[in-house]
Amino acid sequence: AAKFYIDSSYTVETTKALLDGGQSVIFVKDNTAQTITLTAGAGSVSGTSGNIVVSPTPVHHYTLPFSSPQTAGAGFTGTLSARDAAEGLVQVNGSVSLSSNGNAVFYSDGTYSAAVTSATLVNGSTTLYARDNVAQSVILSASDANGKSGASGAITVNPAALDHYAITAMTPRVKGQGFSETLTARDPFGNLVLSANNAVVLTQSGSALYYTD
């Protein structure tokens, strides 16, 4: 919203103006791109300016607020916005490139079927659709052809629910000599499920025996 100031330093706000010889210079600043009017009044007398169009300043950066944590394999959304230096929305239209420092993939819509590497801003913003099948910490970024960019905070992608177990198989092995393999709990995408702390029944297809140590 527009704010009034006592002078052109625009540091001290005010809500009053003092007339001198029937006039006064008022100092106004608005950090939002919008159309405004200014009104002054004293007692029963008032007056209002005509429409003043506050134009957006150039794009300074982009914001990509995504919530964290997310779950591997589950799509999630966030809003990409073009911002000026004062964090005001810059109502531009155009294409912005998308990237990730990990394995996250962007999609065109909520069906998560068509992967994309760019998004189109409409009046300064658009909805982003992303999904990451890898349990990791990932940062999503956007940049334009003018070198302006922005990034999300770190998004923690947790494993999905337990889907299967995996057992290593180092081969060959020598008859009569003990050997060890590693059993791990995995989600549908092969991520290690750290929350799995349950007992597991062991079987085998031959005559091998399992031991506690």
Side-chain angles (χ1 to χ4, degrees), residues 88-171:
L89 179 67
V90 182
Q91 297 183 343
V92 295
N93 300 309
S95 180
V96 178
S97 297
L98 305 174
S99 61
S100 159
N101 71 338
N103 298 85
V105 176
F106 294 94
Y107 293 86
S108 60
D109 55 40
T111 64
Y112 297 94
S113 56
V116 297
T117 56
S118 65
T120 301
L121 295 173
V122 178
N123 294 327
S125 65
T126 190
T127 300
L128 298 181
Y129 302 86
R131 185 173 63 195
D132 195 340
N133 292 340
V134 178
Q136 59 184 183
S137 177
V138 65
I139 295 175
L140 307 181
S141 302
S143 61
D144 63 22
N146 297 317
K148 305 303 180 181
S149 62
S152 69
I155 304 167
T156 299
V157 181
N158 291 324
L162 175 64
D163 177 74
H164 64 279
Y165 298 102
I167 304 174
T168 59
M170 299 296 291
T171 188

Side-chain angles (χ1 to χ4, degrees), residues 12-100:
V12 180
E13 294 181 26
T14 185
T15 57
K16 296 181 179 179
L18 180 62
L19 293 174
D20 183 6
Q23 61 184 356
S24 176
V25 176
I26 56 177
F27 300 91
V28 187
K29 183 169 69 173
D30 194 339
N31 289 333
T32 302
Q34 59 183 330
T35 299
I36 64 172
T37 58
L38 307 178
T39 300
S44 61
V45 179
S46 65
T48 300
S49 72
N51 288 337
I52 301 171
V53 177
V54 182
S55 300
T57 55
V59 174
H60 180 267
H61 64 280
Y62 295 95
T63 57
L64 300 80
F66 285 90
S67 61
S68 179
Q70 299 292 338
T71 301
F76 54 95
T77 63
T79 300
L80 168 66
S81 300
R83 300 287 175 176
D84 61 23
E87 293 299 330
L89 179 67
V90 182
Q91 297 183 343
V92 295
N93 300 309
S95 180
V96 178
S97 297
L98 305 174
S99 61
S100 159

